[in-house]
Amino acid sequence: SAKFGLDVFRPHKVVRTVSECQDESFDYVLITLKALPEVYNVADIIAPVIKDEKTTIVLIQNGLGIEEPIVERFPNNPLISIVAYIGVSQHEPGKITMIGGESLVVGKYLKAQCSSDEQRSKFVEYLNKGGVDVQVVEDIEKVRWQKLFWNATFSPVCTLTGMNTTELLSNEEATKAVKDLMHEVIMIAGAEGYDYDEEQQVKTMLARTEETALNYKPSMQLDRENGRPMEIEVILGCPLKRAKARGLSVPRLEMTHSICSAANQHILNGKAKP
Amino acid sequence: SAKFGLDVFRPHKVVRTVSECQDESFDYVLITLKALPEVYNVADIIAPVIKDEKTTIVLIQNGLGIEEPIVERFPNNPLISIVAYIGVSQHEPGKITMIGGESLVVGKYLKAQCSSDEQRSKFVEYLNKGGVDVQVVEDIEKVRWQKLFWNATFSPVCTLTGMNTTELLSNEEATKAVKDLMHEVIMIAGAEGYDYDEEQQVKTMLARTEETALNYKPSMQLDRENGRPMEIEVILGCPLKRAKARGLSVPRLEMTHSICSAANQHILNGKAKP
């Protein structure tokens, strides 16, 4: 990393399963797993160490709706929800190269049932001490939606066409697919109370990709290429569910979700060859 | 072939380019090329041997709208349009195994500008003499549409998900994608005057696939897997163009076309690895 230098991170303790440390007590439990509700249940995984209401749960995960199952299961634990923009690659297990910057957007999950204000300030302090680029926002879901404008459009189109971002932007039909899909996602966000200007957002997302993410393959695409499960539900499934709950017509998102969801099942069934 | 036995076909003459036999005169010119208007122009290819109005042009090709450029270029030549259902595989160059039956549907292209009645009867006679299963229909486009109900739905969904027909039918989301897409394609056919019962057609197509095409990979999918160009324009592009000309809203077909068309361009650019 240009910013953090060459370093080896040696964890204080490594366990195979969370149950192995259920006798300990934690101030914070950080979840940085891929968001794969199709594959595992994060609430189940962390349950052994969330014994009382003291432990703060910190989600550093992609997608939308990831907080819901946590709030439902642990309504009285403080929750911190973080959207991460980090430019790293793992070329071999445990060897991580940081190529871009890092930015953690820390926010409040407004639908949470208990306050996390104190725990959030303290956590942000820790991040600042570590020199991390931190942004604090009032409503994390607003940020999750905006990240989704990119992730629910560029990611599936790259994944399904095989193109990276540069190839996509130089192809008229692929760019059209991204734009058409993005209009639907922005419309859903609007119905949820996040009133983004459609034309402006589409322009911003395309321009930002040109500027900062050329020759880039989204993680969804890399996951598919490597035969790993993709984060379809939290990126496409959740916005689709919200659109349906409001009776919105989003045929492009629905089609894209069906196809990506089936492709994901194909991977989970072990039928897709990497 | 169970029906035609083990045989070696030795052509009377093989040439590299059509120009090499431009001094000869032909009663029939048969075109059995993949329908790839994105890659080559069939009218250009055959032009050297279509010198007078005597030559009948026979198209045995997939998709919709393949007759248009031929009629436009050779308005005074009789045209025979054939939809083929043939269960063969080519495992290595020139070695062809016939696994299913063969059925050629020979019809009239109603938008043709000159009669082909006499040439069609004669051609059907030749086919019958060879023992081929032939069906004669009045309007070939009606048959092309019905084949499209399968080809414009199962083919892209198999291609994009990586599933074969059996895997597709056992997956709820993939089946949903096929059905949703099929409703749009049947609606376009309806607007063009081919009034198929939507629910009935969807049921028929799914049942027929269960019965006769299990564990099958459509040619579009095999083409992609092998890094060859796919027949996107005649299977998805042409019905889309017709829908747009009539002002119909077909967002699922539009999305699927954009993505498949971009995937095809990726192959044509030599970027997709087989």
Side-chain angles (χ1 to χ4, degrees), chain B residues 167-214:
Chain B
E167 289 158 351
L168 186 158
L169 287 172
S170 70
N171 184 281
E172 209 178 304
E173 289 291 345
T175 305
K176 178 178 157 38
V178 160
K179 285 181 180 172
D180 286 351
L181 204 46
M182 205 180 288
H183 278 289
E184 290 190 355
V185 180
I186 299 172
M187 182 188 68
I188 311 170
E192 295 260 305
Y194 302 107
D195 204 8
Y196 287 99
D197 178 310
E198 280 195 33
E199 289 307 325
Q200 191 50 52
Q201 277 300 313
V202 172
K203 259 192 213 158
T204 303
M205 287 292 148
L206 266 74
R208 198 179 293 168
T209 307
E210 290 261 18
E211 282 159 23
T212 66
L214 286 180

CSV table of all heavy atoms in Angstrom, one decimal, chain B residues 167-214:
chain,number,residue,atom,x,y,z
B,167,GLU,N,-31.1,-27.9,-16.5
B,167,GLU,CA,-30.8,-27.1,-15.4
B,167,GLU,C,-31.7,-25.9,-15.3
B,167,GLU,O,-32.2,-25.5,-14.3
B,167,GLU,CB,-29.3,-26.7,-15.4
B,167,GLU,CG,-28.4,-27.8,-15.1
B,167,GLU,CD,-26.9,-27.6,-15.7
B,167,GLU,OE1,-26.7,-26.6,-16.4
B,167,GLU,OE2,-26.1,-28.5,-15.4
B,168,LEU,N,-31.9,-25.3,-16.5
B,168,LEU,CA,-32.8,-24.1,-16.6
B,168,LEU,C,-34.2,-24.4,-16.0
B,168,LEU,O,-34.7,-23.7,-15.2
B,168,LEU,CB,-32.8,-23.6,-18.0
B,168,LEU,CG,-33.6,-22.3,-18.3
B,168,LEU,CD1,-33.0,-21.7,-19.6
B,168,LEU,CD2,-35.1,-22.4,-18.4
B,169,LEU,N,-34.8,-25.5,-16.5
B,169,LEU,CA,-36.1,-25.8,-16.2
B,169,LEU,C,-36.3,-26.2,-14.7
B,169,LEU,O,-37.4,-26.1,-14.1
B,169,LEU,CB,-36.7,-26.9,-17.0
B,169,LEU,CG,-37.0,-26.5,-18.5
B,169,LEU,CD1,-37.3,-27.7,-19.3
B,169,LEU,CD2,-38.1,-25.5,-18.5
B,170,SER,N,-35.2,-26.6,-14.1
B,170,SER,CA,-35.3,-27.0,-12.6
B,170,SER,C,-34.9,-25.8,-11.8
B,170,SER,O,-34.9,-25.9,-10.6
B,170,SER,CB,-34.4,-28.1,-12.3
B,170,SER,OG,-33.0,-27.7,-12.4
B,171,ASN,N,-34.7,-24.6,-12.4
B,171,ASN,CA,-34.4,-23.4,-11.6
B,171,ASN,C,-35.5,-22.4,-11.8
B,171,ASN,O,-35.9,-22.0,-12.9
B,171,ASN,CB,-33.1,-22.8,-12.1
B,171,ASN,CG,-32.7,-21.6,-11.3
B,171,ASN,OD1,-33.2,-20.5,-11.5
B,171,ASN,ND2,-31.8,-21.8,-10.4
B,172,GLU,N,-36.1,-22.0,-10.7
B,172,GLU,CA,-37.2,-21.1,-10.7
B,172,GLU,C,-37.0,-19.8,-11.4
B,172,GLU,O,-37.8,-19.3,-12.2
B,172,GLU,CB,-37.7,-20.9,-9.2
B,172,GLU,CG,-39.1,-20.6,-9.0
B,172,GLU,CD,-39.4,-20.4,-7.5
B,172,GLU,OE1,-39.1,-21.3,-6.8
B,172,GLU,OE2,-40.0,-19.4,-7.2
B,173,GLU,N,-35.9,-19.1,-11.0
B,173,GLU,CA,-35.6,-17.8,-11.6
B,173,GLU,C,-35.3,-17.9,-13.1
B,173,GLU,O,-35.7,-17.0,-13.8
B,173,GLU,CB,-34.4,-17.2,-10.8
B,173,GLU,CG,-34.7,-16.7,-9.4
B,173,GLU,CD,-35.7,-15.6,-9.3
B,173,GLU,OE1,-35.9,-14.9,-10.3
B,173,GLU,OE2,-36.3,-15.3,-8.2
B,174,ALA,N,-34.6,-18.9,-13.5
B,174,ALA,CA,-34.2,-19.0,-14.9
B,174,ALA,C,-35.5,-19.3,-15.7
B,174,ALA,O,-35.7,-18.7,-16.8
B,174,ALA,CB,-33.2,-20.1,-15.2
B,175,THR,N,-36.4,-20.1,-15.2
B,175,THR,CA,-37.7,-20.4,-15.8
B,175,THR,C,-38.5,-19.1,-15.9
B,175,THR,O,-39.2,-18.8,-16.9
B,175,THR,CB,-38.4,-21.5,-15.1
B,175,THR,OG1,-37.6,-22.6,-15.0
B,175,THR,CG2,-39.7,-21.9,-15.8
B,176,LYS,N,-38.5,-18.4,-14.8
B,176,LYS,CA,-39.2,-17.1,-14.8
B,176,LYS,C,-38.7,-16.1,-15.9
B,176,LYS,O,-39.5,-15.5,-16.6
B,176,LYS,CB,-39.1,-16.4,-13.4
B,176,LYS,CG,-39.8,-15.1,-13.3
B,176,LYS,CD,-39.6,-14.5,-11.9
B,176,LYS,CE,-39.8,-13.0,-11.8
B,176,LYS,NZ,-40.8,-12.4,-12.7
B,177,ALA,N,-37.4,-16.1,-16.0
B,177,ALA,CA,-36.8,-15.2,-17.0
B,177,ALA,C,-37.3,-15.6,-18.4
B,177,ALA,O,-37.7,-14.8,-19.3
B,177,ALA,CB,-35.3,-15.2,-17.0
B,178,VAL,N,-37.3,-16.9,-18.7
B,178,VAL,CA,-37.7,-17.4,-20.0
B,178,VAL,C,-39.2,-17.1,-20.2
B,178,VAL,O,-39.5,-16.5,-21.3
B,178,VAL,CB,-37.5,-19.0,-20.1
B,178,VAL,CG1,-38.4,-19.6,-21.2
B,178,VAL,CG2,-36.1,-19.3,-20.3
B,179,LYS,N,-40.0,-17.3,-19.2
B,179,LYS,CA,-41.5,-17.0,-19.4
B,179,LYS,C,-41.7,-15.5,-19.6
B,179,LYS,O,-42.5,-15.1,-20.5
B,179,LYS,CB,-42.2,-17.5,-18.2
B,179,LYS,CG,-42.4,-19.0,-18.0
B,179,LYS,CD,-43.2,-19.2,-16.8
B,179,LYS,CE,-43.5,-20.7,-16.5
B,179,LYS,NZ,-44.1,-20.9,-15.2
B,180,ASP,N,-41.1,-14.7,-18.8
B,180,ASP,CA,-41.3,-13.2,-18.9
B,180,ASP,C,-40.9,-12.7,-20.3
B,180,ASP,O,-41.6,-11.9,-20.9
B,180,ASP,CB,-40.5,-12.5,-17.8
B,180,ASP,CG,-41.0,-12.6,-16.4
B,180,ASP,OD1,-42.2,-13.2,-16.3
B,180,ASP,OD2,-40.4,-12.2,-15.5
B,181,LEU,N,-39.8,-13.2,-20.7
B,181,LEU,CA,-39.3,-12.8,-22.0
B,181,LEU,C,-40.2,-13.3,-23.2
B,181,LEU,O,-40.5,-12.6,-24.1
B,181,LEU,CB,-37.9,-13.4,-22.2
B,181,LEU,CG,-36.8,-12.8,-23.1
B,181,LEU,CD1,-36.7,-11.3,-23.0
B,181,LEU,CD2,-35.5,-13.5,-22.8
B,182,MET,N,-40.7,-14.6,-23.0
B,182,MET,CA,-41.5,-15.2,-24.0
B,182,MET,C,-42.8,-14.4,-24.2
B,182,MET,O,-43.3,-14.2,-25.3
B,182,MET,CB,-41.8,-16.6,-23.7
B,182,MET,CG,-42.1,-17.5,-24.9
B,182,MET,SD,-42.5,-19.2,-24.5
B,182,MET,CE,-40.8,-19.8,-24.1
B,183,HIS,N,-43.4,-13.9,-23.1
B,183,HIS,CA,-44.6,-13.1,-23.2
B,183,HIS,C,-44.4,-11.9,-24.1
B,183,HIS,O,-45.2,-11.6,-24.9
B,183,HIS,CB,-45.1,-12.7,-21.8
B,183,HIS,CG,-45.9,-13.7,-21.1
B,183,HIS,ND1,-47.1,-14.1,-21.5
B,183,HIS,CD2,-45.5,-14.6,-20.0
B,183,HIS,CE1,-47.6,-15.1,-20.7
B,183,HIS,NE2,-46.6,-15.4,-19.8
B,184,GLU,N,-43.2,-11.3,-23.9
B,184,GLU,CA,-43.0,-10.1,-24.8
B,184,GLU,C,-42.9,-10.5,-26.2
B,184,GLU,O,-43.4,-9.8,-27.1
B,184,GLU,CB,-41.7,-9.4,-24.3
B,184,GLU,CG,-41.8,-8.7,-23.0
B,184,GLU,CD,-40.6,-7.8,-22.7
B,184,GLU,OE1,-39.6,-7.8,-23.4
B,184,GLU,OE2,-40.7,-7.1,-21.6
B,185,VAL,N,-42.1,-11.6,-26.5
B,185,VAL,CA,-41.9,-12.0,-27.9
B,185,VAL,C,-43.3,-12.4,-28.6
B,185,VAL,O,-43.6,-12.0,-29.7
B,185,VAL,CB,-40.9,-13.1,-28.0
B,185,VAL,CG1,-40.7,-13.6,-29.5
B,185,VAL,CG2,-39.6,-12.7,-27.4
B,186,ILE,N,-44.1,-13.1,-27.8
B,186,ILE,CA,-45.4,-13.5,-28.3
B,186,ILE,C,-46.3,-12.3,-28.6
B,186,ILE,O,-47.0,-12.2,-29.6
B,186,ILE,CB,-46.1,-14.5,-27.4
B,186,ILE,CG1,-45.3,-15.8,-27.2
B,186,ILE,CG2,-47.5,-14.8,-27.9
B,186,ILE,CD1,-45.8,-16.7,-26.1
B,187,MET,N,-46.2,-11.3,-27.7
B,187,MET,CA,-46.9,-10.0,-27.9
B,187,MET,C,-46.5,-9.3,-29.2
B,187,MET,O,-47.3,-8.9,-30.0
B,187,MET,CB,-46.7,-9.1,-26.7
B,187,MET,CG,-47.4,-7.8,-26.8
B,187,MET,SD,-46.9,-6.6,-25.5
B,187,MET,CE,-45.3,-6.2,-26.0
B,188,ILE,N,-45.2,-9.3,-29.5
B,188,ILE,CA,-44.7,-8.7,-30.8
B,188,ILE,C,-45.3,-9.5,-32.0
B,188,ILE,O,-45.8,-8.9,-32.9
B,188,ILE,CB,-43.2,-8.7,-30.9
B,188,ILE,CG1,-42.6,-8.1,-29.6
B,188,ILE,CG2,-42.8,-7.8,-32.1
B,188,ILE,CD1,-41.0,-8.3,-29.6
B,189,ALA,N,-45.2,-10.8,-31.9
B,189,ALA,CA,-45.8,-11.6,-33.0
B,189,ALA,C,-47.3,-11.3,-33.2
B,189,ALA,O,-47.7,-11.2,-34.3
B,189,ALA,CB,-45.6,-13.1,-32.7
B,190,GLY,N,-48.0,-11.1,-32.1
B,190,GLY,CA,-49.4,-10.8,-32.1
B,190,GLY,C,-49.6,-9.5,-32.9
B,190,GLY,O,-50.5,-9.4,-33.7
B,191,ALA,N,-48.8,-8.5,-32.6
B,191,ALA,CA,-48.9,-7.2,-33.2
B,191,ALA,C,-48.6,-7.3,-34.7
B,191,ALA,O,-49.1,-6.5,-35.5
B,191,ALA,CB,-47.9,-6.2,-32.5
B,192,GLU,N,-47.8,-8.3,-35.1
B,192,GLU,CA,-47.4,-8.5,-36.5
B,192,GLU,C,-48.5,-9.3,-37.2
B,192,GLU,O,-48.3,-9.7,-38.4
B,192,GLU,CB,-46.1,-9.2,-36.6
B,192,GLU,CG,-44.9,-8.4,-36.1
B,192,GLU,CD,-44.1,-7.7,-37.2
B,192,GLU,OE1,-43.7,-8.3,-38.1
B,192,GLU,OE2,-44.0,-6.4,-37.1
B,193,GLY,N,-49.5,-9.7,-36.5
B,193,GLY,CA,-50.6,-10.4,-37.1
B,193,GLY,C,-50.6,-11.9,-36.9
B,193,GLY,O,-51.4,-12.6,-37.4
B,194,TYR,N,-49.7,-12.4,-36.0
B,194,TYR,CA,-49.7,-13.8,-35.7
B,194,TYR,C,-50.2,-14.0,-34.3
B,194,TYR,O,-49.5,-13.9,-33.3
B,194,TYR,CB,-48.2,-14.3,-35.8
B,194,TYR,CG,-47.7,-14.1,-37.2
B,194,TYR,CD1,-46.8,-13.2,-37.5
B,194,TYR,CD2,-48.2,-14.9,-38.3
B,194,TYR,CE1,-46.3,-12.9,-38.8
B,194,TYR,CE2,-47.8,-14.7,-39.6
B,194,TYR,CZ,-46.8,-13.7,-39.8
B,194,TYR,OH,-46.4,-13.5,-41.1
B,195,ASP,N,-51.5,-14.2,-34.2
B,195,ASP,CA,-52.2,-14.2,-33.0
B,195,ASP,C,-52.1,-15.5,-32.2
B,195,ASP,O,-53.1,-16.2,-32.1
B,195,ASP,CB,-53.6,-13.8,-33.2
B,195,ASP,CG,-54.2,-13.1,-32.0
B,195,ASP,OD1,-53.5,-12.8,-31.1
B,195,ASP,OD2,-55.5,-12.9,-32.0
B,196,TYR,N,-51.0,-15.7,-31.6
B,196,TYR,CA,-50.8,-16.9,-30.8
B,196,TYR,C,-51.4,-16.7,-29.4
B,196,TYR,O,-51.3,-15.6,-28.9
B,196,TYR,CB,-49.3,-17.3,-30.6
B,196,TYR,CG,-48.7,-17.8,-31.8
B,196,TYR,CD1,-47.9,-17.0,-32.7
B,196,TYR,CD2,-48.8,-19.2,-32.2
B,196,TYR,CE1,-47.3,-17.5,-33.8
B,196,TYR,CE2,-48.2,-19.7,-33.3
B,196,TYR,CZ,-47.4,-18.9,-34.1
B,196,TYR,OH,-46.8,-19.4,-35.2
B,197,ASP,N,-52.0,-17.7,-28.8
B,197,ASP,CA,-52.5,-17.6,-27.4
B,197,ASP,C,-51.2,-17.6,-26.5
B,197,ASP,O,-50.5,-18.6,-26.4
B,197,ASP,CB,-53.4,-18.8,-27.1
B,197,ASP,CG,-53.9,-18.8,-25.7
B,197,ASP,OD1,-53.1,-18.7,-24.8
B,197,ASP,OD2,-55.1,-18.9,-25.5
B,198,GLU,N,-51.0,-16.5,-25.7
B,198,GLU,CA,-49.8,-16.4,-24.9
B,198,GLU,C,-49.6,-17.5,-23.9
B,198,GLU,O,-48.6,-18.2,-24.0
B,198,GLU,CB,-49.8,-15.1,-24.2
B,198,GLU,CG,-49.4,-13.9,-25.1
B,198,GLU,CD,-49.0,-12.7,-24.3
B,198,GLU,OE1,-48.5,-12.8,-23.1
B,198,GLU,OE2,-49.2,-11.6,-24.8
B,199,GLU,N,-50.6,-17.7,-23.1
B,199,GLU,CA,-50.5,-18.8,-22.0
B,199,GLU,C,-50.2,-20.1,-22.6
B,199,GLU,O,-49.4,-20.9,-22.2
B,199,GLU,CB,-51.7,-18.8,-21.1
B,199,GLU,CG,-51.9,-17.6,-20.2
B,199,GLU,CD,-50.6,-17.3,-19.4
B,199,GLU,OE1,-50.0,-18.3,-19.0
B,199,GLU,OE2,-50.3,-16.1,-19.2
B,200,GLN,N,-51.0,-20.4,-23.7
B,200,GLN,CA,-50.9,-21.7,-24.4
B,200,GLN,C,-49.5,-21.9,-24.9
B,200,GLN,O,-48.9,-23.0,-24.8
B,200,GLN,CB,-52.0,-21.8,-25.5
B,200,GLN,CG,-52.2,-23.1,-26.0
B,200,GLN,CD,-52.4,-24.2,-25.0
B,200,GLN,OE1,-53.2,-24.0,-24.1
B,200,GLN,NE2,-51.6,-25.3,-25.0
B,201,GLN,N,-49.0,-20.9,-25.6
B,201,GLN,CA,-47.6,-21.0,-26.3
B,201,GLN,C,-46.6,-21.2,-25.2
B,201,GLN,O,-45.7,-22.1,-25.4
B,201,GLN,CB,-47.3,-19.8,-27.1
B,201,GLN,CG,-47.9,-19.7,-28.4
B,201,GLN,CD,-47.4,-20.9,-29.3
B,201,GLN,OE1,-46.2,-21.2,-29.4
B,201,GLN,NE2,-48.4,-21.6,-29.9
B,202,VAL,N,-46.6,-20.5,-24.1
B,202,VAL,CA,-45.6,-20.6,-23.1
B,202,VAL,C,-45.6,-22.0,-22.5
B,202,VAL,O,-44.6,-22.7,-22.4
B,202,VAL,CB,-45.9,-19.6,-21.9
B,202,VAL,CG1,-44.9,-19.9,-20.7
B,202,VAL,CG2,-45.7,-18.2,-22.4
B,203,LYS,N,-46.8,-22.5,-22.3
B,203,LYS,CA,-47.0,-23.9,-21.8
B,203,LYS,C,-46.4,-24.9,-22.7
B,203,LYS,O,-45.7,-25.8,-22.4
B,203,LYS,CB,-48.5,-24.2,-21.5
B,203,LYS,CG,-48.9,-24.2,-20.1
B,203,LYS,CD,-50.3,-24.8,-19.9
B,203,LYS,CE,-51.0,-24.0,-18.8
B,203,LYS,NZ,-52.5,-24.2,-18.9
B,204,THR,N,-46.8,-24.8,-24.0
B,204,THR,CA,-46.3,-25.7,-25.1
B,204,THR,C,-44.8,-25.7,-25.2
B,204,THR,O,-44.2,-26.8,-25.2
B,204,THR,CB,-46.9,-25.2,-26.4
B,204,THR,OG1,-48.3,-25.2,-26.3
B,204,THR,CG2,-46.5,-26.2,-27.5
B,205,MET,N,-44.2,-24.5,-25.2
B,205,MET,CA,-42.8,-24.4,-25.3
B,205,MET,C,-42.0,-25.1,-24.2
B,205,MET,O,-41.1,-25.8,-24.4
B,205,MET,CB,-42.3,-22.9,-25.4
B,205,MET,CG,-42.7,-22.2,-26.7
B,205,MET,SD,-41.7,-22.9,-28.1
B,205,MET,CE,-42.9,-22.7,-29.4
B,206,LEU,N,-42.6,-24.9,-23.0
B,206,LEU,CA,-41.9,-25.5,-21.8
B,206,LEU,C,-42.1,-27.0,-21.8
B,206,LEU,O,-41.1,-27.8,-21.6
B,206,LEU,CB,-42.5,-24.9,-20.5
B,206,LEU,CG,-41.6,-23.7,-20.0
B,206,LEU,CD1,-41.7,-22.5,-20.8
B,206,LEU,CD2,-41.8,-23.4,-18.5
B,207,ALA,N,-43.3,-27.4,-22.1
B,207,ALA,CA,-43.6,-28.9,-22.2
B,207,ALA,C,-42.8,-29.6,-23.2
B,207,ALA,O,-42.2,-30.6,-23.0
B,207,ALA,CB,-45.1,-29.1,-22.4
B,208,ARG,N,-42.7,-28.9,-24.4
B,208,ARG,CA,-42.0,-29.5,-25.5
B,208,ARG,C,-40.5,-29.7,-25.2
B,208,ARG,O,-39.8,-30.6,-25.6
B,208,ARG,CB,-42.2,-28.7,-26.8
B,208,ARG,CG,-41.8,-29.5,-28.1
B,208,ARG,CD,-42.0,-28.6,-29.3
B,208,ARG,NE,-43.5,-28.4,-29.5
B,208,ARG,CZ,-43.9,-27.5,-30.4
B,208,ARG,NH1,-43.0,-26.7,-31.1
B,208,ARG,NH2,-45.2,-27.3,-30.6
B,209,THR,N,-40.0,-28.7,-24.5
B,209,THR,CA,-38.5,-28.7,-24.1
B,209,THR,C,-38.3,-29.9,-23.1
B,209,THR,O,-37.3,-30.6,-23.2
B,209,THR,CB,-38.1,-27.4,-23.4
B,209,THR,OG1,-38.5,-26.3,-24.3
B,209,THR,CG2,-36.6,-27.3,-23.2
B,210,GLU,N,-39.2,-30.0,-22.2
B,210,GLU,CA,-39.2,-31.2,-21.2
B,210,GLU,C,-39.1,-32.5,-22.0
B,210,GLU,O,-38.5,-33.4,-21.6
B,210,GLU,CB,-40.4,-31.2,-20.3
B,210,GLU,CG,-40.5,-30.1,-19.3
B,210,GLU,CD,-40.1,-30.5,-17.9
B,210,GLU,OE1,-39.4,-31.5,-17.8
B,210,GLU,OE2,-40.4,-29.8,-16.9
B,211,GLU,N,-39.9,-32.5,-23.0
B,211,GLU,CA,-40.1,-33.8,-23.7
B,211,GLU,C,-39.0,-34.1,-24.7
B,211,GLU,O,-38.6,-35.3,-24.8
B,211,GLU,CB,-41.4,-33.8,-24.5
B,211,GLU,CG,-42.7,-34.0,-23.7
B,211,GLU,CD,-43.9,-33.5,-24.4
B,211,GLU,OE1,-43.9,-33.4,-25.6
B,211,GLU,OE2,-44.9,-33.2,-23.7
B,212,THR,N,-38.5,-33.1,-25.4
B,212,THR,CA,-37.6,-33.4,-26.5
B,212,THR,C,-36.3,-32.7,-26.5
B,212,THR,O,-35.4,-33.1,-27.3
B,212,THR,CB,-38.3,-32.9,-27.9
B,212,THR,OG1,-38.4,-31.5,-27.8
B,212,THR,CG2,-39.7,-33.5,-28.1
B,213,ALA,N,-36.0,-31.8,-25.5
B,213,ALA,CA,-34.8,-31.1,-25.5
B,213,ALA,C,-34.1,-31.0,-24.2
B,213,ALA,O,-33.7,-30.0,-23.8
B,213,ALA,CB,-34.9,-29.8,-26.2
B,214,LEU,N,-34.1,-32.1,-23.4
B,214,LEU,CA,-33.4,-32.1,-22.1
B,214,LEU,C,-31.9,-32.1,-22.3
B,214,LEU,O,-31.4,-32.7,-23.3
B,214,LEU,CB,-34.0,-33.2,-21.2
B,214,LEU,CG,-35.4,-33.0,-20.7
B,214,LEU,CD1,-35.8,-34.1,-19.8
B,214,LEU,CD2,-35.5,-31.6,-19.9
